[in-house]
Structures are given as C-alpha cells and as structure tokens.
C-alpha cells in the first residue's frame, strides 16, 4: 500500500517513464553501462582472489602448518616427518595430513611441454580435495599413476578423449578424473594426485612434503593450539588459519607481482568513471525537466514534494539500470569463466554496486531539488 503523500510524486515520475520513453531509455542505458563497467572489472579482481586462494580456502583444515618464512601458497620450503611428529604430539590435534604442492614439467603426448602445479595428499584423508570431482571418479585416483585435472585445461595439456596419458618428470601419468570450475591464476593447471605419486612428480624425498593440514579435536581453542604448535616447532614452523594463509598469498601476488594491484586500481578507476557516468546521466535527465519542477515550486509545491519526485525518479532509474547491469555482468562473467577465464562475481559485490549507484542517484536528486528551489525563489522575486 503506497502512502497517500507519495502517490502524486510517483504518478508524476511514471508519466515521465511512459511519455518520454526514448529519453528514459537513454538515461537507463547510460547508468546500466556505468554499472556494467564496475561489475565486470570487479569480476576480474574477485576471480583473481579466488584463483590464488582456491586450495587453502576449500581444503578442510582448521590450521595449516608450513616451514618458517612462509610467503605464499605456491612456493614454500619442505617439511619433514620430524615436523609431522612434533605437530601430532599436541593433545588438541585430532588429525594432521601431509600435502604436497609443487610445480612440475608436463610433457604432452605430442612432445610439447607445459608447467603444472601438482597437489598430492593421502586419498584416505577427508580434506575436501579436489572439489567438483564426480564421486564415481574419486576412487580411480587410488590407482597407480593417476591424476585429476580440470576439463578446461585438457586442450592446454594436449589431452583428448582418445589420449588421456602423458608424462611428468619422465614418469607416466593418466588422467582418471576430470574436475569442473577449478582455475589457476599462475596459468599452471592444478593437478590432483595421490601423495606418494606427487612426491615423485615433484622430485622430493619420501619423508618431505609442503604442508600439514591440521584438524582439531572438538572444543579446542584454535588460537591457543596455534600458539602451542609454534612453540613445539621451536621457531621452525609457521602456523596459520586458512584465512591467514589465503591473505598472505593474496598480499604476495598483489604487492610483489603487481598483478592484483593492477586489478584493484582498475576497480577504483571503473568506480570513479562509472559513478561519474551514472551521475551525469541522471543530472541530464533532471535538467531536461527543470522548468516543470520550477513551475511546481512557483505554484506552491513544497520542497519535500519536489524532492520526493526527484528521489523517486532517481530510485526508479538507478534500480532498473542496476538490475539490467547485474544480469548482464553475471552472464558475461559466467561465459568468460566457462571459456577458461578467472572471473567471479559474488552476490554481495552486485548488491554493493547497486547500493552505491542508488546513493549517488539520491544525492544527485537532492542536490538538483535544492537548485530548483533556489531558481524558483529567484523567479518569484
């Protein structure tokens, strides 16, 4: 039920929509383009963040243990069985699973070479890796010299329906599982395999591995356990929550390589340009009817009444334009991701972008209403 004092302003705005369709369409298109610019750039940034933190955030672990001096997930010094036994000694540690993360040379069936990132772990450990793998294929990873890789990388690795075998570091490997929607920011596909096989592919000794994934006993204080493990490691271990590990990895790629910083700068520029386009589009539309609004004020319409008309107009324009932009941005993001891109558009980003543009629209409407009142008062004098 619409309050009676808002019916007339809304009726006025709806008449503008109905009787000036082309001008309204141009304004909505301008605001939608601005929104789309912001959302597409945001999808690149958040897709980057998702790609560089995919394994740490999706693995089932309460804590990650790495060798001291850890900087980012993709490259770290190796731990040994000695570190494993130090960690498992803690009374609150229910499970500690070794994980191998190493880059290796993939030799395609046609003789070409590619770089892959081997992720290896004991298959009996329930750590949630790899995700998006059909259950019927998961058991096949227990067979000798088998691995799983995302479908989008089959072409890059020279794999076909008739040829799913290749070599890693001179050792034969067969792709027995195909995941979906797992992306790698470093261009090296993630290759999931059994723990011992990963050690041989990565050329590391049998008692070495990259990380320990720790699960705690129910009711344990994670921060207290974290401090205790650091003490047990005598300064030789870095112990992190999944979020902390992901944050360090993201910070490395953003600050050291400049890749993430470039994407973040792109979002800032897109937000600035998009906001300007949206504000100017709405301002132009309001100014086209400025004389009518001045007349309303001259014949006795109050400031709240004129402001209500302009705010309602801004809300309708920005809401409809943002809705169109969100739909288009999600379609584009999904299409680019399906083609192998690292794009991702979280729902909260879409809502935040809509909220920013609505706020800009309301601010522009109130600013214009004030100017109209000033003009009307000058005309009365």
């Amino acid at each position: 039920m619409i309050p009676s004092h808002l019916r007339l302003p809304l009726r006025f705005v709806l008449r503008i929509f109905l009787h000036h369709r082309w001008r309204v369409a141009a304004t909505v298109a301008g605001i939608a383009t601005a929104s789309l610019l912001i959302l597409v750039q945001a999808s690149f940034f958040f897709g980057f963040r998702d790609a560089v933190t995919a394994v740490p955030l999706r693995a089932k672990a309460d804590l990650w243990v790495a060798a001291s001096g850890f900087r980012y997930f993709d490259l770290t010094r190796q731990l040994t069985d000695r570190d494993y036994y130090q960690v498992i000694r803690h009374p609150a540690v229910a499970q500690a699973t070794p994980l191998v993360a190493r880059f290796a040379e993939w030799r395609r069936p046609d003789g070409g070479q590619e770089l892959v990132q081997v992720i290896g772990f004991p298959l009996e450990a329930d750590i949630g890796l790899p995700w998006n793998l059909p259950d019927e294929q998961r058991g096949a990873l227990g067979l000798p010299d088998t691995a799983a890789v995302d479908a989008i990388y089959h072409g890059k690795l020279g794999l076909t329906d008739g040829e799913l075998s290749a070599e890693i570091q001179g050792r034969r490997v067969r792709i027995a599982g195909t995941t979906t929607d797992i992306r790698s920011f470093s261009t090296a596909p993630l290759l999931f395999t059994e723990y011992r096989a990963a050690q041989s592919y990565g050329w590391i000794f049998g008692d070495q591995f990259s990380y320990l994934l720790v699960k705690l006993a129910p009711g344990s204080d994670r921060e207290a356990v974290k401090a205790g493990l650091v003490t047990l490691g005598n300064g030789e271990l870095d112990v992190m929550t999944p979020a902390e590990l992901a944050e360090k990895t993201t910070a490395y790629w953003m600050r050291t390589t400049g890749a993430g910083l470039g994407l973040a700068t792109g979002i800032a520029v897109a937000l600035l340009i998009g906001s300007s386009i949206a504000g100017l589009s709405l301002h132009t539309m309001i100014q086209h009817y400025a004389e009518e609004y001045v007349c309303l004020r001259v014949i006795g319409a109050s400031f709240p009444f004129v402001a209500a008309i302009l705010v309602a107009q801004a809300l309708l324009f920005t809401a409809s334009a943002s809705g169109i932009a969100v739909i288009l941005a999600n379609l584009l993001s999904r299409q680019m991701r399906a083609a192998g891109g690292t794009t991702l558009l979280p729902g909260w980003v879409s809502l935040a972008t809509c909220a920013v543009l609505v706020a800009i629209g309301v601010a522009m409407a109130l600013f214009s209403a004030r100017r109209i009142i000033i003009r009307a008062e000058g005309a009365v004098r």
Side-chain angles (χ1 to χ4, degrees):
M1 190 68 178
I2 301 175
S4 57
H5 64 281
L6 293 180
R7 290 176 187 172
L8 188 56
L10 285 174
R11 191 180 305 166
F12 192 93
V13 173
L14 288 174
R15 284 184 178 180
I16 293 176
F17 266 78
L18 295 174
H19 295 287
H20 302 273
R21 296 183 184 90
W22 290 111
R23 185 171 293 277
V24 168
T27 302
V28 171
I31 299 173
T33 301
S35 305
L36 186 61
L37 174 65
I38 297 170
L39 290 169
V40 169
Q41 190 63 39
S43 74
F44 288 127
F45 176 75
F46 286 99
F48 151 77
R49 284 179 59 91
D50 178 70
V52 300
T53 61
V55 175
L57 292 182
R58 287 175 173 82
K60 297 178 181 178
D62 297 309
L63 293 171
W64 283 67
V65 178
S68 60
F70 172 86
R71 296 183 67 193
Y72 66 110
F73 172 77
D74 304 272
L75 192 63
T76 183
R77 293 192 299 110
Q78 301 305 299
L79 298 172
T80 65
D81 284 347
R82 174 176 172 272
D83 301 308
Y84 170 82
Y85 289 114
Q86 284 182 322
V87 169
I88 205 69
R89 281 172 49 202
H90 197 289
V93 173
Q95 177 181 312
T97 304
L99 181 138
V100 171
R102 295 277 285 186
F103 288 99
E105 180 187 285
W106 172 279
R107 185 175 294 275
R108 293 160 47 108
D110 60 9
Q113 295 180 349
E114 294 288 348
L115 192 66
V116 295
Q117 186 174 15
V118 178
I119 306 294
F121 51 92
L123 298 179
E124 64 274 12
D126 180 22
I127 60 171
L129 299 178
W131 62 101
N132 296 344
L133 178 69
D135 291 337
E136 59 271 17
Q137 296 180 11
R138 194 170 294 274
L141 294 183
L143 300 175
D145 301 326
T146 57
V149 73
D150 199 84
I152 200 69
Y153 296 117
H154 277 206
K156 178 183 178 71
L157 299 179
L159 302 173
T160 64
D161 291 338
E163 182 56 77
L164 291 175
S165 297
E167 290 184 3
I168 300 180
Q169 309 289 73
R171 177 172 173 174
R172 198 72 173 167
V173 60
R174 181 175 62 86
I175 299 302
T178 299
T179 62
T180 56
D181 202 35
I182 295 181
R183 299 289 179 267
S184 170
F185 175 73
S186 65
T187 73
L190 295 176
L191 191 83
F192 297 92
T193 188
E194 194 272 331
Y195 176 64
R196 294 298 178 187
Q199 287 181 312
S200 64
Y201 296 151
W203 281 15
I204 59 178
F205 296 107
D207 68 336
Q208 293 185 335
F209 45 89
S210 306
Y211 298 98
L212 276 173
L213 277 62
V214 175
K215 290 185 179 180
L216 302 181
S220 300
D221 184 334
R222 186 163 63 174
E223 290 302 316
V225 176
K226 178 180 168 182
L229 291 177
V230 171
T231 301
L232 285 174
N234 296 317
E236 297 180 358
L237 300 178
D238 281 348
V239 185
M240 302 157 283
T241 65
E244 289 170 343
L245 190 150
E247 185 60 34
K248 286 187 176 182
T249 300
T250 302
Y252 173 85
W253 284 107
M254 288 189 67
R255 298 170 188 169
T256 306
T257 67
L261 185 60
L263 291 172
T265 303
I267 288 185
V269 173
L271 186 60
L272 178 62
I273 295 174
S275 300
S276 300
I277 293 173
L280 288 173
S281 297
L282 192 58
H283 178 70
T284 301
M285 184 67 179
I286 292 173
Q287 289 304 307
H288 182 73
Y289 298 101
E291 296 300 327
E292 285 86 341
Y293 299 136
V294 170
C295 290
L296 283 175
R297 175 57 175 165
V298 169
I299 64 176
S302 64
F303 172 77
F305 181 82
V306 175
I309 292 176
L310 295 178
V311 169
Q313 180 176 305
L315 288 173
L316 284 173
F317 283 167
T318 53
S320 56
S322 298
I324 293 170
V326 167
I327 293 172
L328 291 176
N330 276 280
L331 288 174
L332 284 172
S333 178
R334 290 175 184 175
Q335 288 298 318
M336 288 188 287
R337 192 170 183 88
T342 55
T343 55
L344 181 68
L345 189 59
W348 70 267
V349 175
S350 299
L351 291 175
T353 302
C354 292
V356 168
L357 292 175
V358 167
I360 290 172
V362 171
M364 183 61 68
L366 294 175
F367 173 75
S368 299
R370 184 175 179 277
R371 292 190 61 186
I372 287 168
I373 295 301
I374 293 173
R375 286 180 60 184
E377 290 176 350
V380 171
R381 292 173 186 168

